[in-house]
Each structure stands twice: as C-alpha cells, then as structure tokens.
C-alpha cells in the first residue's frame, strides 16, 4: 500500500467550516493561557530534524545494553527498593514507569523519581525515561495533594480552557515530579458505548472531534518539553473486551478504519500536514493489544509486523518511537510467554517494550531478546535501529538524570484551577 501524506478531505472540510461549527476548530497556534502564565516549563526545541546519536556510541554498546534500552520496566514500592536497584543495575533499561502503587504524596513522589535517577546515574547508565500514565480523570497517577483533572471526554465538553491548556496542565504535572514521558493523550474514539476500558478517557464519540482535540493536546505537551505517547494504535474505542484481561478484536473494513479508528493517528503522525500547520509529528505512539482482523487476523497489533511495520511505519509514514502497551496484560499473557511476546514485538517493529509488573518478567524479556540474537531470530542491527530512535528522542528532549526540586504543589494547583475550577 502507498503511504498517504495528506490530511483526510473530510477533516480539511471541517477546518474550513470550523467557525460555523462552534465546537470543532483546528488546533490553535501557541498562545498565552492561564496555565502558561502560571507555569513555564522548559519549552521543547524549535522544529529541527531529529538528531542522530553518534554511531560510535551505539556501536560500542553490548548486546545486553542494547536490549536493556528497549525495556520500560515497572518497579514496586514508594521508594527505591531492591527491585529498582536490580532492574537499573542489572538490566540497564531505557525507562521506568510508575503507577499509583508508587505514589503516596508529592514530596515522596519527587524523592522517588530523584532516587531512581540517582541509582541510574551512579550505575553509569544512559539517562532513563521516567514514564507515567497521566491522562486525568480515571487514569491519573498524581499525588493526592494535586488538584483533579476531569476525563478527556468531560473536559472537552466543558470547553473551559481549550485542549492546548489541557496539554499544558498534563506537561506541568509531569515536569513537576520529574517525568519525561506521558502515555497520553488517548486518540481512541469512544464509538462503542459498551466499552468500559476506554469510555470517557476518549475525547469524543466523533472521529473528527478526536482528530482535532487529541493531537492538539499532544502538541501542547511537546511545546512544554514533555514527550507525549499517543495511544492505543490502531484504535481501542470500538471494542467490548478489556485488553487487560482478554484480546479485543476490531472487525471493520479498511474503509471503515480509515474513516474512524485510523483518522486521529494518521493526522497525529503525518509529517507533511504538521510541517505546514505547526512543526514535527508526534514523537511516539503506543500500540495496543488489539486484533485488527482486516490487517492481521492472527496476531495482536502490538506483535504484528503487518500493523506496526506495515500500517504504522510504511503506510502512515511514522518514523518516531513505537511503544507496546504492557506485555503482562491478559491480551498477550493469556497466549504468549513474556519472552516470546518481547521478541515478536521487536520483530514487528516496536522500539520500547512495556513490562509493568514483576522483576522476573523484566528479566525474562531481556533474556529472550539476547537469546533471539544468539539464535539469529533478531539481529544486532535491528536492536541498534530501535536504540537509535530511542537515543535520538532522549537527545531531542534533553532527557537526563538531573533531580527535580521540592514540588511547588500550590503553584501547580493554581495553574490547574485557572482552567478547571
């Protein structure tokens, strides 16, 4: 299939008539907002080609180090414990992801992220991605002192501060506590009312509304220096099965997919469109555990070459970092071992593998990648390809292991309430 570098005609039509349809407008150019006036995170660099890490840095890495960079690992506890030391010192992962189980309070969370960075720095490792799922509403990992943000659906309906302001708030939350990567915004379309895993995490039931709102949030986060990871490609909104427990399937035709699930993602990753409107495409995409029967009737999207390399990379033209959803979720673990899934995901074209639960699972994924290289099922050059994209993204956003200061929760809440009373 040929790569389509054009914005859908229906979306151009909406842009042209946006002033007539009051609640559908194109993503605005950056303008001052109550959030940006209160909090001023370090902005992302001006649009430039993605920097290429030095080839000699990658060529000097061992296979063990290359495989480690492909992992984003969950740890236990509210302070750096033995498992965090073992993960960082033994596996040298590309990133760590934190959950509600890791959060007690604002000072504690900042101390935890600083402690993880310190362990990594002392180990002499490449700086970590500190990652979080911070969408607001039903998926939030912020400490209890931080003011609440509504679900994306409720936020968009309230029209209080615009989607740009929502992106600034999410970025400010992440930056306050030392996170570089936010697995948000959700670009799924809530087209199935029986869908409980997405629901109001989606911006809307209308593909055009999601196509406009979601990328606008992502670009606002980018402007504030935080890496958004749009999800869950190729679209989790029209499913009735929760991928945490089983494998959901989407049985739509290609035409139906183009007019629905794929529209927000195509727009978000289309370099031609965003170069004309603002700047670069979104830097990262999370692939969900969804059986897209029209593209690959056998393999979940996260481990499907037809979906990741074929649809996302070749057809949509995405050149950034591809994350899997958590490989310990039932949609994968019910059928595949952790090691088998890790290898298949890399073979499919994914760059970073989320292993959110269990040190043993992280070790299994790492060991499987090494064994696959030894057996010839993966090549060193394939690992280097992903590590090149990962290091380029870290360099572009200035990711390092510098600690954050004591969080100014009052200032953060003031910014949030300026938009969300």
């Amino acid at each position: 299939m040929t790569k389509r570098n054009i914005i859908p005609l229906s979306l151009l039509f909406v842009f042209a008539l946006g002033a007539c349809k009051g609640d559908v407008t194109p993503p605005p150019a950056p303008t001052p907002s109550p959030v940006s006036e209160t909090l001023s995170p370090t902005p992302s660099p001006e649009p430039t080609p993605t920097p290429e890490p030095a080839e000699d840095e990658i060529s000097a890495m061992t296979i063990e180090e290359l495989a480690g960079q492909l992992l984003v690992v969950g740890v236990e506890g509210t302070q750096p414990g033995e498992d965090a030391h073992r993960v960082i010192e033994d596996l040298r992962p590309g990133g760590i992801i934190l959950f509600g189980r890791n959060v007690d309070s604002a000072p504690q969370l900042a101390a935890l992220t600083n402690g993880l960075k310190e362990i990594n720095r002392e180990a002499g490792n490449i700086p970590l991605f500190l990652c979080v799922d911070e969408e607001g509403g039903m998926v939030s990992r912020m400490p209890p002192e931080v003011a609440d943000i509504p679900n994306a659906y409720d936020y968009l309906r309230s029209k209080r501060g615009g989607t740009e302001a929502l992106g600034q708030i999410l970025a400010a939350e992440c930056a306050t506590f030392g996170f570089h990567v936010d697995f948000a915004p959700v670009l799924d379309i809530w087209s199935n009312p029986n869908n409980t895993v997405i629901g109001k995490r989606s911006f809307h039931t209308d593909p055009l509304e999601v196509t406009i709102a979601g990328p606008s949030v992502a670009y606002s986060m980018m402007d504030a220096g935080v890496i958004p990871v749009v999800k869950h490609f190729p679209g989790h909104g029209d499913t009735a099965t929760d991928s945490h427990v089983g494998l959901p399937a989407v049985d739509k035709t290609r035409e139906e997919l183009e007019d629905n699930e794929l529209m927000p993602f195509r727009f978000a990753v289309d370099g031609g469109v965003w170069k004309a409107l603002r700047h670069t495409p979104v830097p990262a995409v999370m692939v969900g555990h969804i059986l897209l029967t029209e593209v690959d009737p056998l393999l979940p999207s996260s481990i499907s070459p037809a979906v990741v390399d074929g649809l996302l990379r070749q057809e949509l033209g995405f050149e950034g970092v591809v994350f899997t959803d958590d490989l310990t979720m039932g949609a994968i673990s019910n059928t595949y071992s952790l090691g088998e899934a890790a290898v298949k995901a890399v073979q499919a074209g994914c760059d970073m593998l989320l292993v959110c639960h269990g040190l043993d699972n992280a070790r299994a994924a790492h060991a499987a990648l090494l064994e696959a290289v030894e057996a010839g099922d993966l090549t060193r050059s394939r690992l280097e390809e992903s590590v090149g994209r990962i290091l380029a993204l870290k360099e572009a956003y200035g990711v390092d292991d510098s600690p954050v200061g004591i969080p100014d929760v009052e200032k953060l809440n003031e910014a949030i309430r300026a938009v969300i009373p």
Side-chain angles (χ1 to χ4, degrees), residues 87-258:
V87 163
I88 293 172
E89 294 167 2
D90 297 348
L91 302 184
R92 302 186 182 186
I96 297 287
I97 180 170
L98 299 184
F99 292 92
R101 66 178 186 248
N102 305 115
V103 180
D104 274 345
S105 69
Q108 169 271 323
L109 179 55
L112 175 57
T113 59
N114 286 343
L116 294 171
K117 293 175 183 179
E118 182 180 5
I119 295 169
N120 195 65
R121 186 170 60 249
E122 291 180 351
N125 295 344
I126 293 169
L128 286 167
F129 278 141
L130 264 292
C131 309
V132 68
D133 287 298
E134 179 53 27
E135 304 169 14
M138 60 175 39
V139 179
S140 177
R141 318 299 188 201
M142 287 296 107
E145 303 97 312
V146 176
D148 291 335
I149 297 173
N151 294 308
Y153 184 85
D154 293 328
Y155 180 88
L156 190 63
R157 286 171 65 87
S158 73
K159 299 181 178 62
R160 290 199 179 274
T163 48
E164 183 188 18
L166 177 58
Q168 291 172 345
I169 289 170
L170 294 174
E173 288 182 327
C174 291
T176 296
F177 295 101
F179 292 107
H180 315 105
V181 176
D182 188 3
F183 295 119
V186 167
L187 297 191
D188 305 309
I189 301 155
W190 188 19
S191 52
N192 184 341
N194 296 320
N195 187 323
T196 57
V197 68
I198 299 300
K200 288 188 174 183
R201 295 168 64 189
S202 170
F203 284 98
H204 213 279
T205 59
D206 184 331
L208 292 176
E209 297 275 8
V210 177
T211 300
I212 294 166
S216 175
V217 171
Y219 276 88
S220 184
M221 295 169 69
M222 293 165 65
D223 288 340
V226 170
I227 300 166
V229 182
V230 298
K231 60 184 185 184
H232 305 80
F233 185 85
H236 204 329
D238 192 9
T239 60
T241 301
D242 184 345
S243 54
H244 291 88
V245 296
L247 179 60
V250 175
D251 297 323
K252 293 182 177 178
T253 66
R254 278 308 303 268
E255 183 178 1
E256 290 172 327
L257 291 170
E258 289 292 345

Side-chain angles (χ1 to χ4, degrees), residues 30 45 50 59 77 212 216 227 236-237 239 258 262 292 323 329 332 341 373 416:
T50 302
S59 63
I212 294 166
S216 175
I227 300 166
H236 204 329
T239 60
E258 289 292 345
L262 295 182
L292 199 65
F323 290 76
M329 292 165 64
I332 296 296
V373 173
I416 293 172

Side-chain angles (χ1 to χ4, degrees), residues 53-78:
E55 290 184 8
D56 56 356
E57 179 183 5
I58 295 177
S59 63
M61 295 172 69
T62 66
I63 294 294
E64 290 78 6
E65 290 170 330
L66 291 170
Q69 278 299 298
L70 270 60
L71 300 179
V72 177
V73 183
V75 296
E76 300 299 324
T78 55

